[in-house]
Amino acid sequence: MSIAPSVIAHIAPVPPQAYAHPMPSGRWNEMAKGACTEDSARPAHVVAALGAPVTFARNSEIFGDDQAAENVYVVVSGVVRICKLMGDGRRQIEAFCLPGDAFGWETGERYRFSAEAVSECRLVRVKRSVLFARAGTDPELACALWALSFAELQRAQEHLLLLGRKTAQERVGSFLLDLARRSGTTNASHVTELQLAMSRQDMADFLGLTIETVSRTLTYLEEQGTISLPSSRRVLLRDRSALRRLDS
Amino acid sequence: MSIAPSVIAHIAPVPPQAYAHPMPSGRWNEMAKGACTEDSARPAHVVAALGAPVTFARNSEIFGDDQAAENVYVVVSGVVRICKLMGDGRRQIEAFCLPGDAFGWETGERYRFSAEAVSECRLVRVKRSVLFARAGTDPELACALWALSFAELQRAQEHLLLLGRKTAQERVGSFLLDLARRSGTTNASHVTELQLAMSRQDMADFLGLTIETVSRTLTYLEEQGTISLPSSRRVLLRDRSALRRLDS
DNA sequence: CGACAACTTGACCATTATCAAGCAAGGTGG
DNA sequence: CCACCTTGCTTGATAATGGTCAAGTTGTCG
């Protein structure tokens, strides 16, 4: 049931031993002081330790809307999209899950959205029954569960502001900055490079725009010198202050 | 520290004794089976039992963005709005909290949004330090915490679809149905009556529209015979199937 | 009754969507 | 190795939804 340290290690640089000795009352005390933030990779590890690794090919479905909600997943590598579909085909991507993120939380019996692999990805699959049964006796796990689903809530809340009140330029700018924060690499001359795992259509469905508007906006930002697009899936953030102005 | 039963009683019809005898491993076992839904008022009680009642006047601030996050609140009566503001004054209301809802969750040291009383309201204020300290040793409380913040997440996720992909009519329709589900009263002839606690501006900022569009859309729905507006703050849902078609 | 806030309505405008080509990169078969 | 096809992306022209600005109306409260 437990997974190899080599797999877990990809989530973050915290060594597996770090959670080998659960504390008496878990992490709740630190949470009370607001001290859990500096250690944000830990909850993923605590949960991942209870599951088994699985891999999914690009564009394959991890689970579908309305399926029985049996598992929770932690991303080890790759990118996952969480989607909601409307009857007529309109799609909203609620989140892109990157390494260290968890998804598939439910209180009811069925998933309320589908999850698909944006790129080839490795996940840890944890049985919900195992997770919740243990949470009843293991405060550290209970805290980890709360922290992980709370992280989702925070992202969702930021996203609400974006979808409700931001312009197309602001949406794209915020998106690029968020990706940079979560997965970008910055070089010596302060240029951040991003590899976009997702298509323009994915970006559009995440940002509440059309594919054409996303494309036009990226072109515009490049004309302004704010970003460069060496290829359609690679972005260089040249002027972060201009992007931050858009992020507001 | 504990609040009077008469205050708690307004949240839901579950008597206070119901949680006087905590179960050995809390509610996690039920959660594992997806059985927590039928009992959704309980988490609010479990948390509220640790706090003290407070009241806020109409339009007063409960806490502000960036303030120290010391408390979590449970709504007993009235309506609370959770807001995010942008530098230039654009506002997004992330949620309206009704009796039984909890708000003010944070992992960090500061709130990331403000909360204001839409109508005069009674709340239970619970110290975060108390809550988290107890959660470490009380699995039932840990479960309640998770259930309450998870309920927020679910609402936020539904809202993402609304803001990202729905038309103005669909937004207003979904909003009315959601309010009806949470607070409406249906009479013998299947007409549901709603009392709107919030202004048109609040609705607009919640739905990602302008006040004018909200007003026009309501007028249009009334012309179609889908709703009636006996006064600007009272709505009768006359044709729920038409609304549900909009909800999709 | 008057003042003010909240709401509605109208006319016009802008941002973003839609529809339609065209282009570029990557893979396949001849 | 090159023509061909497919897929994903970009660009252009036009349309529509919802936003803006402005004027009225309703309702509430002193």
Side-chain angles (χ1 to χ4, degrees):
Chain A
M1 226 356 137
S2 186
I3 66 173
S6 63
V7 173
I8 308 180
H10 285 90
I11 301 177
V14 183
Q17 306 89 272
Y19 50 85
H21 308 290
M23 302 173 71
S25 63
R27 296 270 143 185
W28 290 107
N29 290 325
E30 301 175 18
M31 198 72 82
K33 291 175 252 145
C36 214
T37 40
E38 22 116 3
D39 204 9
S40 60
R42 172 184 293 274
H45 284 80
V46 174
V47 172
L50 295 174
V54 284
T55 68
F56 287 88
R58 196 160 176 277
N59 286 323
S60 61
E61 181 178 280
I62 297 161
F63 57 74
D65 194 1
D66 215 44
Q67 272 180 214
E70 289 176 352
N71 300 293
V72 168
Y73 296 82
V74 178
V75 181
V76 175
S77 72
V79 178
V80 173
R81 60 176 174 253
I82 303 299
C83 315
K84 271 212 161 90
L85 277 168
M86 292 179 68
D88 59 2
R90 278 175 284 177
R91 183 176 74 154
Q92 178 64 41
I93 294 183
E94 314 220 312
F96 289 114
C97 294
L98 270 48
D101 295 337
F103 62 91
W105 306 104
E106 285 298 339
T107 43
E109 294 181 9
R110 303 188 164 275
Y111 291 117
R112 307 172 78 87
F113 42 75
S114 65
E116 296 157 7
V118 170
S119 58
E120 161 117 10
C121 55
R122 286 180 299 156
L123 312 174
V124 174
R125 168 157 60 197
V126 191
K127 275 211 157 22
R128 212 166 63 126
S129 53
V130 170
L131 209 52
F132 288 147
R134 288 247 200 153
T137 55
D138 179 349
E140 168 148 30
L141 179 59
C143 179
L145 250 54
W146 186 74
L148 284 171
S149 50
F150 187 81
E152 290 295 302
L153 175 58
Q154 277 197 339
R155 254 208 301 290
Q157 287 174 334
E158 286 299 325
H159 205 177
L160 288 178
L161 177 63
L162 181 146
L163 292 174
R165 287 298 179 221
K166 291 190 181 178
T167 65
Q169 278 184 49
E170 290 168 335
R171 292 180 200 206
V172 173
S174 300
F175 174 71
L176 293 176
L177 280 179
D178 182 49
L179 264 193
R181 212 175 302 125
R182 293 164 73 195
S183 75
T185 58
T186 303
N187 70 15
S189 50
H190 301 284
V191 172
T192 301
E193 174 164 353
L194 279 180
Q195 196 69 40
L196 301 177
M198 65 292 292
S199 68
R200 294 290 187 271
Q201 186 64 62
D202 285 341
M203 289 174 61
D205 288 342
F206 180 71
L207 298 174
L209 300 169
T210 59
I211 183 173
E212 293 94 335
T213 300
V214 170
S215 186
R216 276 187 249 270
T217 306
L218 286 170
T219 303
Y220 173 80
L221 289 176
E222 186 173 31
E223 283 167 356
Q224 301 299 304
T226 310
I227 63 171
S228 302
L229 289 161
S231 80
S232 70
R233 297 291 183 106
R234 279 184 59 220
V235 187
L236 304 180
L237 310 190
R238 298 209 164 276
D239 185 354
R240 297 190 71 133
S241 61
L243 286 175
R244 236 169 279 121
R245 233 169 294 134
L246 289 175
D247 201 18
S248 161
Chain B
M1 232 345 144
S2 187
I3 65 176
S6 62
V7 173
I8 307 181
H10 285 89
I11 301 179
V14 182
Q17 306 89 273
Y19 50 85
H21 309 291
M23 304 173 70
S25 62
R27 295 270 145 184
W28 290 106
N29 291 324
E30 300 173 18
M31 199 69 84
K33 291 176 250 144
C36 214
T37 42
E38 22 117 3
D39 204 8
S40 59
R42 172 182 292 275
H45 284 80
V46 174
V47 172
L50 296 173
V54 283
T55 67
F56 288 88
R58 197 159 176 278
N59 286 322
S60 61
E61 181 178 279
I62 297 161
F63 56 75
D65 194 1
D66 214 43
Q67 272 181 215
E70 289 177 353
N71 300 293
V72 168
Y73 296 82
V74 177
V75 181
V76 175
S77 72
V79 178
V80 173
R81 60 176 174 253
I82 302 298
C83 314
K84 270 211 162 92
L85 276 167
M86 291 179 69
D88 59 1
R90 279 175 283 178
R91 183 177 75 154
Q92 178 64 41
I93 294 183
E94 314 220 313
F96 290 112
C97 295
L98 270 48
D101 295 336
F103 63 91
W105 306 104
E106 284 298 337
T107 44
E109 294 181 9
R110 301 186 165 278
Y111 292 117
R112 307 172 76 87
F113 41 75
S114 64
E116 296 156 8
V118 170
S119 57
E120 160 116 11
C121 55
R122 286 181 299 157
L123 313 174
V124 173
R125 169 156 60 197
V126 190
K127 275 212 156 19
R128 213 166 63 127
S129 54
V130 171
L131 210 51
F132 288 147
R134 288 247 198 153
T137 55
D138 178 350
E140 169 149 31
L141 178 60
C143 180
L145 251 52
W146 186 74
L148 283 172
S149 51
F150 187 81
E152 289 297 300
L153 176 58
Q154 277 196 340
R155 253 208 303 289
Q157 287 175 334
E158 287 299 325
H159 205 177
L160 287 178
L161 177 63
L162 181 146
L163 292 175
R165 288 298 180 221
K166 292 190 181 177
T167 64
Q169 277 183 51
E170 290 168 336
R171 292 179 201 207
V172 173
S174 300
F175 174 71
L176 293 176
L177 280 179
D178 183 49
L179 265 194
R181 213 175 302 124
R182 293 163 74 196
S183 74
T185 58
T186 302
N187 69 15
S189 49
H190 300 286
V191 172
T192 301
E193 174 164 356
L194 279 181
Q195 196 70 40
L196 300 177
M198 66 291 293
S199 69
R200 294 289 187 270
Q201 187 63 62
D202 284 341
M203 288 174 61
D205 289 342
F206 180 71
L207 297 174
L209 300 169
T210 58
I211 184 175
E212 295 93 335
T213 301
V214 170
S215 185
R216 276 188 250 271
T217 305
L218 286 170
T219 303
Y220 173 80
L221 289 175
E222 186 172 31
E223 283 167 357
Q224 301 299 304
T226 309
I227 63 172
S228 303
L229 288 162
S231 81
S232 70
R233 298 289 184 104
R234 278 185 59 221
V235 186
L236 303 180
L237 310 190
R238 297 211 163 276
D239 184 353
R240 297 190 70 133
S241 61
L243 285 176
R244 236 171 277 120
R245 233 170 293 134
L246 288 176
D247 200 20
S248 160

